[in-house]
């Protein structure tokens, strides 16, 4: 995983309420809470159709069971994608009740990618718990992921809604893109710093992070009976918001306050990750950019605080931070434009906007 | 992989023609050849829609490219599943031309499972070439497999045939079962010899090997416009034939002539694999079965030919071979009964029967 605090947006634990000025966040958190309670029964029902051990691995992954099979309090993630599906249905005048299964199917697909990403990235924890592969082994985690991908389509195939087939087609197409994004990500980590281009890095982030957020919004539009133009506009809205998220997430990965992010400062730089601000700095043509290339050419010494501080400063001096923040703002305004194209009435667009701002407006 | 010479039926290279008495094999090989030439263009077209590196990994896996990306002669396997789809369509009076994309989608799904099985089983070669993971690494092989699973549904979603949605639902449900079968298989390999039951072993083989052969036949029936009863009968036909295949394959794994199978004699016993004849012998309640349990309790010494010969003899003395051969015959006669239920006219059933006999009637 190149550059995300939590793997992908909304994969982390439910956050504490934001500060008093964040009225939009309060709305977003209420939407997420409502989506979780609407979708959770459908999600559990679907996962419980899996046979034997696959069910157990999936239930562990979703946080509903401990490794020994006893029930757990459960923390299945923020449910941003289901909330986007349901908000998109409402924004376009559909009935969200009819889209609950589709929203759950999108979440199942998201979780298939998390299971496999954790195996590939050798990530030992997710949502503050040991990852499925580290508990059950690689083979079981791969198989549970494979079964969840299939389950997503089984759920849509059994959905009587007239939009279900169109949604399944979008979802399967999106999975190919997600795989391509993750593939680019792992390939970039193996490349020399100078070989990674900013365009390549942005394309990777769009495929890996933007595509499924876009697909969630698009599926909501499909379930509202929208035409192809509105569906495409909502897809673009989710993609742009996803890119804005990734940019902000990468900024947090370097300049975030460890007391607020819960992550050690500069962890991405120590891991020599080619996050967006880093790649922008490397390609800046500045003296600081050239110094960064030298620093990134050798592994970091985690005990050398001065070297880390120097690396943080050169990324900033090379313009990496400013570029990422401007770019994030630009992506959010593009997202808003896409949203306006699909949803003429500003009031109807409010929920989608609140969700997009929630995932991107995060404490740096 | 517990007990299959080639992982799953038809995953190996195209075999040399059978002996002069095998008239049915000649028919089956002509059917396979025809299926390959019908399905190959659709398969290549679909795989070529994958983005960048995923396409390259998939093209390597199918044998169309070398590891360096240059074209290869190509050996994408026997195409048993596509041949079953097309033969089932013909048997029930449908138009096989309309089912070519569905047949290719089934083959794409089969190949997704092969890519992932090779990663999990650490198999270094497939179809006489290095496996994808050993060339591109685990992450790329997992991602190419994930993308192929999604591609199978994309192909069906884009198929205008009225049976496409029903076929996609069956295929996704089948994938869950395939995953459960592979999960049981890897779990059984970790269990002590006495813990594996014959029923568990048969259920595993049905899920892992029978389910997709049954699904291929069922999808053919769906594309012929058959009713649910005929579809279910063809599914059962494929499952029973798949179990017969697995039983025979396991017998070959112990008593097969290395000059004809291309595998060292007793390889499954040296690896302490819990193949069906072994599990039957272990559960036989005989003195030979008890001796086998002792032998299986410690790792084999590959240089000790006498110990291997002794192991072969006790499996046979405990009735493992006889049981597996009787059981295979029984499964084939059940398969024939299922086929007769769905296809009243014996002449119409001829192709499916020839294919089933081809995969099961193999030189021991």
């Amino acid at each position: 995983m190149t550059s995300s605090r939590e793997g992908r947006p909304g994969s982390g634990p439910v956050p504490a309420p934001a500060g008093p000025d964040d009225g939009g966040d309060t709305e977003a958190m209420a939407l997420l809470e409502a989506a979780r309670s609407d979708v959770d029964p459908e999600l559990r029902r679907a996962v419980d159709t899996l046979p034997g051990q696959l069910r157990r691995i999936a239930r562990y992954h979703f946080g509903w069971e401990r490794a020994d099979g006893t029930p757990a309090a459960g923390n299945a993630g923020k449910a941003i994608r289901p909330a986007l599906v349901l908000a998109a249905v409402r924004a376009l005048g559909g009935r969200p009740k009819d889209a609950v299964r589709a929203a759950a199917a999108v979440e199942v697909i998201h979780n298939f990618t998390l299971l496999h990403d954790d195996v590939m990235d050798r990530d030992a924890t997710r949502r503050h718990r040991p990852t499925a592969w580290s508990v059950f082994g690689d083979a079981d985690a791969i198989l549970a992921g494979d079964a969840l991908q299939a389950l997503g389509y089984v759920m849509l195939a059994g959905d009587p809604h007239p939009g279900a087939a169109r949604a399944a087609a979008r979802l399967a197409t999106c999975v190919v893109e997600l795989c391509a994004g993750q593939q680019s990500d792992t390939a970039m980590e193996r490349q020399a710093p100078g070989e990674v281009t900013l365009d390549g890095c942005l394309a990777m982030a769009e495929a890996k992070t933007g595509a499924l957020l876009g697909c969630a919004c698009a599926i909501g539009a499909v379930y509202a009976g929208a035409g192809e133009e509105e569906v495409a506009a909502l897809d673009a809205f989710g993609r742009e918001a996803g890119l804005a998220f990734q940019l902000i997430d990468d900024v947090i990965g370097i300049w975030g306050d460890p007391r607020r992010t819960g992550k050690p400062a500069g962890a991405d730089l120590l891991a020599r990750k080619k996050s967006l601000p880093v790649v922008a700095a490397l390609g800046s043509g500045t003296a600081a950019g050239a110094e960064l290339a030298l620093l990134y050419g050798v592994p970091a010494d985690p005990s050398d605080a001065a070297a880390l501080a120097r690396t943080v400063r050169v990324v900033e001096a090379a313009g990496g931070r400013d570029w990422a923040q401007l770019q994030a703002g630009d992506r959010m305004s593009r997202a808003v434009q896409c949203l306006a194209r699909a949803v003429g009435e500003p009031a109807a667009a409010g929920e989608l906007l609140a969700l997009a701002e929630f995932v991107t407006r995060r404490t740096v």
Side-chain angles (χ1 to χ4, degrees), chain A residues 114-201:
Chain A
L114 298 181
L115 274 162
H116 282 193
D117 285 0
D118 287 342
V119 171
M120 289 180 257
D121 300 334
R122 310 316 298 166
D123 282 331
T125 59
R126 167 165 307 276
R127 300 169 188 151
H128 305 295
R129 305 163 72 231
T131 43
W133 71 264
S134 67
V135 173
F136 298 99
D138 286 8
D140 276 5
I142 293 170
L143 288 166
D146 288 343
L148 284 184
Q149 182 180 180
L151 182 62
Y153 310 118
V154 170
M155 291 165 76
L156 288 172
D159 186 346
H161 192 283
R166 213 169 135 206
R170 290 198 84 95
L171 200 52
T173 304
C174 178
V175 167
V176 173
E177 191 174 353
L178 294 172
C179 294
Q182 169 74 358
Q183 200 284 325
S184 294
D185 191 2
T186 56
M188 279 178 191
E189 286 307 313
R190 289 192 300 263
Q191 289 177 335
E195 286 173 4
V196 176
T197 67
L198 202 47
D199 281 353
C201 207

Side-chain angles (χ1 to χ4, degrees), chain A residues 17 50 146 162-163 168 182 214 241 246 272 284 290 293 295 303 330 347 353:
Chain A
L50 293 176
D146 288 343
Q182 169 74 358
Q246 193 58 63
R272 298 297 189 233
S284 63
L295 288 163
S303 67
D330 184 45
L353 206 56

Side-chain angles (χ1 to χ4, degrees), chain A residues 141-279:
Chain A
I142 293 170
L143 288 166
D146 288 343
L148 284 184
Q149 182 180 180
L151 182 62
Y153 310 118
V154 170
M155 291 165 76
L156 288 172
D159 186 346
H161 192 283
R166 213 169 135 206
R170 290 198 84 95
L171 200 52
T173 304
C174 178
V175 167
V176 173
E177 191 174 353
L178 294 172
C179 294
Q182 169 74 358
Q183 200 284 325
S184 294
D185 191 2
T186 56
M188 279 178 191
E189 286 307 313
R190 289 192 300 263
Q191 289 177 335
E195 286 173 4
V196 176
T197 67
L198 202 47
D199 281 353
C201 207
L202 282 166
M204 180 277 284
E206 179 174 343
K208 183 170 164 162
T209 306
L212 190 53
L213 296 176
C215 186
C217 298
I219 285 177
V222 165
Y223 269 69
E228 198 44 54
E229 207 170 318
E230 289 158 311
V231 172
L234 274 198
D235 193 312
F237 160 76
R239 280 173 185 270
E240 297 290 355
L243 263 177
F245 159 82
Q246 193 58 63
L247 286 152
I248 296 298
D249 198 63
D250 283 1
V251 168
I252 292 172
I254 301 174
W255 294 278
D257 179 346
R259 287 167 301 180
R260 306 187 76 161
T261 65
K263 296 271 176 174
D268 280 3
L269 296 180
L270 288 174
R272 298 297 189 233
K273 287 199 185 258
K274 298 177 192 87
S275 66
L276 286 157
V278 167
V279 175

